[in-house]
Amino acid sequence: MSKKIFSGVQPTGNLHLGNYLGAIKNFVDLNNDIQNECIFCVVDLHAITVKQDKDQLSNNILETAATFIASGIDPTKSIIFNQSKVHAHAEGSWILSCLAPMGWLNRMTQFKEKAGKDKEKASVGLYIYPILMASDILLYDATHVPVGEDQKQHLELTRDIAQKFNKDFNCDDFLKAPEPLIKKNFARIMSLKDGLKKMSKSDPSDLSRINLTDTKDEIINKIKKAKTDSYPIPDEEKKLIDRPEAQNLLSIYSSISSQTLDKTLVEFGGKKFSEFKNQLAEILSSKISPISEEIKKLINDQEYLNKVLAEGASKAEDIAGKKIKEMKKIIGF
Ligand code: TYM
């Protein structure tokens, strides 16, 4: 069955293995299925919900587009563009904010995490950010949205908003409620230093994550220093309970080798972590360093990246522009 895919990544720098295994690797698989129509967005309007440096932001937009392409997304098959180039995203977001109740937004756990203790100082944009995300998805009638586990609640909100719009304006299924595509076991890649914390670009320790721009030596060093425990590797998934670091490294190995966790446990059950880590470092560097080299090459060809983004924006504008026009008509504008 053909799918309409939409997903986005924030251009906030330091894209890491969590972004790759939780999202971008799946974008590539979906892009490779000729039946799918895929749209991958560099969500720069989302990025400014927290303060950004102007020059760094424009570099990060290009680097995120370069990461998509270097990972294997073909810009002649899939649409790649940056959100701020298509005005319908912001317009749709405003319309949807006028019908989404505050109670729904108050439940969003990511806002609570990101705003931290002093939520009075967080921007209004950070608070209503999930509505912009709903607008992104609904403008393209996306049927499926590949994301990591941390975005699941935002997708549930998107479905609720779509249904409320259709009900409030009595327009059947004008806005299509999308299905999340979240990979079991691999959708929450954890920090290499603490198996209970998500791998994140904002962690102050660079040793906590593998960046997609890391060199082979950096990857090997980070895996060597990754936290483990003192027991051998188990041969069954249920024996991983209460061993978050072991679970994380074994999940990373399984995901990067595109095999099940069960198969990895059969391969390494009973062995020592030192032996497993050598193989993990080997496979990670063989898969990630070519991407890293390609990103560096593409970053030097800004003309090409700008052309990909401009062509993508023009195609995205055709789709989203029509949808927002219909949406405004339904409302009475
Ligand atoms: P962002 O930019 O924080 O992350 C991009 C993608 O990477 C996934 N991810 C992870 N997956 C597994 N383990 C991790 N440690 C990890 N860290 C990040 C995220 O789940 C995400 O899929 N709100 C979104 C961007 C967005 C979007 C959209 C996504 C805006 N509009 C429309 C889908 C559809 C975000 O901030 O992702």
Side-chain angles (χ1 to χ4, degrees):
M1 193 192 81
S2 87
K3 300 186 180 95
K4 280 192 185 172
I5 307 291
F6 185 97
S7 198
V9 174
Q10 290 197 58
T12 37
N14 282 348
L15 287 184
H16 53 72
L17 191 65
N19 298 123
Y20 181 69
L21 297 179
I24 300 170
K25 183 168 179 278
N26 305 330
F27 298 176
V28 177
D29 294 341
L30 292 159
N31 162 90
N32 289 344
D33 182 336
I34 49 163
Q35 289 199 48
N36 294 335
E37 286 170 44
C38 302
I39 304 177
F40 300 113
C41 185
V42 179
V43 291
D44 49 9
L45 295 175
H46 277 90
I48 61 162
T49 54
V50 294
K51 196 166 188 296
Q52 299 292 331
D53 173 85
K54 172 174 175 270
D55 295 331
Q56 229 162 27
L57 178 63
S58 42
N59 285 336
N60 286 340
I61 292 169
L62 293 181
E63 188 172 309
T64 307
T67 304
F68 286 169
I69 300 166
S71 302
I73 295 171
D74 174 1
T76 63
K77 175 170 188 301
S78 296
I79 297 176
I80 296 177
F81 75 108
N82 58 316
Q83 195 183 25
S84 62
K85 290 278 157 59
V86 178
H87 63 82
H89 290 251
E91 209 174 346
S93 175
W94 176 254
I95 293 171
L96 299 176
S97 353
C98 295
L99 65 90
M102 288 191 41
W104 290 2
L105 284 173
N106 288 338
R107 289 204 287 271
M108 297 296 113
T109 53
Q110 201 169 65
F111 173 75
K112 290 178 198 157
E113 280 162 25
K114 288 199 174 170
K117 282 196 190 95
D118 203 355
K119 78 175 196 299
E120 296 294 314
K121 284 205 177 130
S123 70
V124 175
L126 190 67
Y127 180 66
I128 61 166
Y129 155 128
I131 301 184
L132 177 59
M133 184 163 159
S135 167
D136 298 341
I137 298 166
L138 299 172
L139 283 170
Y140 297 89
D141 294 336
T143 58
H144 294 83
V145 182
V147 281
E149 179 74 33
D150 61 349
Q151 299 300 318
K152 192 170 170 218
Q153 197 185 30
H154 293 162
L155 283 182
E156 283 159 6
L157 180 82
T158 301
R159 293 174 58 87
D160 289 343
I161 290 178
Q163 278 151 7
K164 187 164 190 302
F165 184 96
N166 295 340
K167 193 162 163 264
D168 286 2
F169 295 103
N170 199 12
C171 54
D172 294 329
D173 69 339
F174 170 71
L175 293 183
K176 311 274 181 290
E179 293 294 330
L181 290 177
I182 298 176
K183 291 261 170 182
K184 186 180 166 269
N185 284 330
F186 315 139
R188 197 170 171 82
I189 301 298
M190 309 308 276
S191 154
L192 299 178
K193 289 280 149 202
D194 177 352
L196 297 174
K197 247 170 76 183
K198 200 179 68 169
M199 184 178 285
S200 144
K201 46 188 128 188
S202 56
D203 194 313
S205 166
D206 196 52
L207 287 175
S208 70
R209 65 182 161 261
I210 296 202
N211 301 306
L212 295 181
T213 47
D214 280 348
T215 62
K216 204 171 172 171
D217 288 345
E218 282 167 328
I219 294 172
I220 293 170
N221 181 42
K222 286 179 179 179
I223 293 299
K224 211 188 262 173
K225 294 197 168 139
K227 190 171 167 200
T228 50
D229 53 38
S230 46
Y231 306 103
I233 295 173
D235 52 7
E236 280 179 293
E237 199 180 329
K238 64 174 191 245
K239 295 185 189 156
L240 281 170
I241 292 171
D242 295 332
R243 296 183 63 187
E245 283 83 17
Q247 161 108 38
N248 188 37
L249 293 182
L250 289 156
S251 297
I252 291 176
Y253 183 91
S254 311
S255 179
I256 197 86
S257 349
S258 302
Q259 67 181 29
T260 60
L261 184 57
D262 280 344
K263 184 152 186 270
T264 303
L265 292 171
V266 169
E267 206 176 323
F268 291 100
K271 295 193 174 147
K272 285 191 189 145
F273 269 106
S274 50
E275 192 180 335
F276 167 71
K277 276 184 164 185
N278 287 339
Q279 299 217 30
L280 177 60
E282 177 71 37
I283 188 157
L284 275 176
S285 54
S286 75
K287 301 269 184 187
I288 301 298
S289 23
I291 297 178
S292 156
E293 278 159 33
E294 191 59 24
I295 294 172
K296 283 168 199 157
K297 236 191 268 163
L298 285 167
I299 277 292
N300 287 324
D301 194 351
Q302 297 205 353
E303 200 180 320
Y304 168 70
L305 291 173
N306 281 318
K307 185 166 160 271
V308 166
L309 287 172
E311 284 174 4
S314 152
K315 290 181 197 158
E317 173 70 43
D318 283 346
I319 305 168
K322 276 195 199 109
K323 192 78 183 175
I324 197 82
K325 234 183 182 167
E326 288 174 54
M327 205 164 160
K328 287 162 80 171
K329 211 164 148 195
I330 287 173
I331 290 169
F333 289 154

